[in-house]
């Protein structure tokens, strides 16, 4: 009778293997709780988070060009108050889970994401309410908004139609680390020859030297190779910066064949296997 209780699930989730969750009895017990009350609570929390995220986004947009203290308008203070109160509310729920689950709480990466999201939001409001440069505010707002909107995936897991997509994408992202490492090594292997072939600045129509556009330094060479190999974005005229445009063109062609054709087809096959 206590198969689906909190204590039982706490024990199951702390085990090294999750094979128990593949049994029909445990799945039935979990479904009873989910359809009975958990799904409604999850939807309620998702709705609260959506409202809070809209308020936080409006606050960042409203105070984009100036600090909050420069505004004498009530929407600024209202949106800021909603953001702070909402963040405190969600942090209190995380703290409650932390107390009940103890060390098991830290086994779930989503919990780290939840904490980081709310802390960044509070820091953003605090910075915009003080005398801080616009650049610092912009960096904090961009980081905080990125985390906040990515955190929507946490709530999408509660939808049967979206849950499998979220977990599939996470599984693919985790599994891609070795593939991306190999592709990065390939791009680096071609970036070094391009840099070695670089002969200097080109002249413009008035006989003056142009600024280096592609291979002027190590960073530019890696950037050019990266955008050419991954996104196909490059200018053939940049190859004139090398001692031999023909050799550089051959290198570029081989690199595009390896990265764009072979690697991308291997990536498609890899993702297909991950989905299956």
């Amino acid at each position: 009778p206590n198969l689906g209780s909190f204590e039982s699930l706490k024990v199951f989730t702390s085990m090294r293997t999750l094979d128990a969750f593949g049994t029909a009895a445990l799945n039935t017990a979990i479904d009873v709780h989910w359809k009975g009350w958990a799904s409604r609570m999850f939807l309620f929390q998702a709705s609260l988070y959506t409202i809070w995220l809209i308020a936080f986004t409006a606050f960042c947009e409203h105070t984009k060009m100036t600090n909050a203290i420069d505004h004498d308008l009530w929407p600024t203070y209202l949106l800021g108050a909603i953001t702070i109160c909402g963040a405190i509310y969600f942090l209190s729920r995380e703290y409650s889970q932390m107390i009940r689950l103890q060390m098991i709480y830290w086994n779930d990466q989503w919990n780290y994401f939840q904490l980081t999201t709310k802390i960044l939001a509070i820091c953003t409001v605090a910075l915009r309410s003080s005398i801080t440069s616009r650049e610092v505010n912009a960096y904090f707002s961009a980081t905080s908004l990125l985390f906040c909107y990515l955190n929507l995936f946490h709530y999408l897991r509660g939808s049967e139609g979206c849950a499998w997509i979220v977990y599939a994408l996470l599984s693919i992202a985790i599994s891609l680390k070795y593939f991306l490492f190999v592709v990065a090594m390939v791009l680096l292997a071609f970036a070094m020859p391009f840099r070695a072939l670089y002969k200097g600045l080109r002249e413009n129509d008035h006989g003056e030297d142009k600024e280096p556009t592609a291979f002027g330094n190590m960073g530019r060479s890696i950037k050019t190779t990266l955008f050419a190999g991954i996104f196909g974005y490059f200018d053939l005229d940049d190859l004139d910066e090398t001692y031999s445009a023909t050799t550089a063109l051959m290198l570029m062609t081989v690199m595009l064949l390896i990265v764009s054709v072979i690697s991308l087809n291997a990536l498609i096959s890899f993702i297909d296997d991950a989905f299956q």
Side-chain angles (χ1 to χ4, degrees), residues 157-214:
R157 297 183 305 162
S159 169
E160 294 184 6
C162 298
W164 71 272
I165 300 176
V166 174
Y167 282 108
L169 290 176
L170 288 176
S171 177
I172 291 172
I174 294 173
S175 303
L176 277 179
K177 55 186 177 182
Y178 297 111
F179 176 82
L180 294 177
F181 176 77
V182 172
V183 173
M185 291 299 100
V186 172
L187 293 175
L188 185 63
F190 281 93
M192 297 303 101
F194 283 127
R195 171 57 185 162
L197 289 172
Y198 175 71
K199 66 179 180 180
L201 302 177
R202 294 179 294 172
E203 292 185 351
N204 57 22
D205 297 336
H206 303 287
E208 301 173 348
D209 288 340
K210 288 185 176 180
E211 292 293 327
T213 58

Side-chain angles (χ1 to χ4, degrees), residues 123-157:
C123 292
T124 300
V125 175
L127 286 174
R128 286 181 177 264
S129 301
S130 60
I131 302 177
T132 313
S133 67
R134 293 182 182 177
E135 184 177 0
V136 174
N137 284 335
Y139 281 120
F140 257 92
S141 298
T143 305
S144 183
L145 288 171
L146 175 63
F147 273 79
C148 287
Y149 276 91
L150 287 178
N151 194 47
L152 288 172
F153 286 103
H154 168 75
Y155 296 98
L156 288 178
R157 297 183 305 162

Side-chain angles (χ1 to χ4, degrees), residues 24-37:
L26 185 56
N27 278 326
T28 301
I30 293 175
D31 286 341
V32 169
H33 288 295
W34 175 253
K35 294 178 180 178
W37 60 272

Side-chain angles (χ1 to χ4, degrees), residues 3-272:
L3 184 60
S5 65
F6 173 79
E7 290 74 15
S8 299
L9 294 177
K10 181 178 178 181
V11 173
F12 287 134
T13 54
S14 62
M15 297 172 64
R16 292 182 177 271
T17 177
L18 299 179
D19 292 341
F21 288 91
T23 61
L26 185 56
N27 278 326
T28 301
I30 293 175
D31 286 341
V32 169
H33 288 295
W34 175 253
K35 294 178 180 178
W37 60 272
S39 60
R40 293 196 299 271
M41 288 297 298
F42 195 84
L43 180 61
F44 175 70
Q45 294 298 320
S47 300
L48 286 181
Y49 182 81
T50 303
I51 296 173
W52 176 81
L53 182 57
I54 294 174
F56 178 52
T57 305
F59 174 83
C60 292
E61 181 64 24
H62 191 66
T63 60
K64 178 176 175 59
M65 300 308 298
T66 56
N67 297 77
I69 59 175
D70 296 330
H71 289 270
D72 193 22
L73 300 175
W74 63 268
T76 302
Y77 303 105
L78 176 61
L79 294 172
I82 293 175
T83 301
I84 294 294
C85 292
I88 294 175
Y89 167 76
F90 288 113
L91 285 175
S92 66
R93 294 191 60 85
E94 293 300 315
Y95 178 75
S96 176
Q97 293 183 41
M98 198 184 306
I99 296 299
R100 296 194 65 183
L101 296 176
Q102 299 177 355
M103 295 303 299
I104 300 178
Y105 174 86
W106 303 104
N107 294 336
D108 189 352
Q109 288 75 18
W110 285 104
N111 293 330
Y112 292 95
F113 209 83
Q114 292 277 5
L115 291 173
T116 304
T117 297
K118 309 313 181 299
I119 293 173
L120 282 174
I122 293 176
C123 292
T124 300
V125 175
L127 286 174
R128 286 181 177 264
S129 301
S130 60
I131 302 177
T132 313
S133 67
R134 293 182 182 177
E135 184 177 0
V136 174
N137 284 335
Y139 281 120
F140 257 92
S141 298
T143 305
S144 183
L145 288 171
L146 175 63
F147 273 79
C148 287
Y149 276 91
L150 287 178
N151 194 47
L152 288 172
F153 286 103
H154 168 75
Y155 296 98
L156 288 178
R157 297 183 305 162
S159 169
E160 294 184 6
C162 298
W164 71 272
I165 300 176
V166 174
Y167 282 108
L169 290 176
L170 288 176
S171 177
I172 291 172
I174 294 173
S175 303
L176 277 179
K177 55 186 177 182
Y178 297 111
F179 176 82
L180 294 177
F181 176 77
V182 172
V183 173
M185 291 299 100
V186 172
L187 293 175
L188 185 63
F190 281 93
M192 297 303 101
F194 283 127
R195 171 57 185 162
L197 289 172
Y198 175 71
K199 66 179 180 180
L201 302 177
R202 294 179 294 172
E203 292 185 351
N204 57 22
D205 297 336
H206 303 287
E208 301 173 348
D209 288 340
K210 288 185 176 180
E211 292 293 327
T213 58
F215 312 112
N217 53 50
M218 195 72 70
R220 286 178 179 271
S221 181
I222 294 175
K223 177 183 176 182
T224 301
T225 308
L226 173 66
F227 275 77
I230 300 298
F231 307 109
Y233 178 79
F234 67 96
D235 187 354
L236 285 176
D237 292 338
D238 292 335
L239 301 180
D240 294 335
E241 296 181 5
T242 62
Y243 284 104
S244 175
T246 302
T247 303
L249 180 60
M250 292 175 60
L251 281 174
M252 182 68 72
T253 303
V254 173
M255 183 194 70
L256 291 177
L257 285 174
I258 293 176
V259 177
S260 301
V261 179
I262 300 177
S263 296
L264 289 183
N265 278 281
L267 176 61
I268 293 172
S269 176
F270 182 81
I271 293 177
D272 182 64

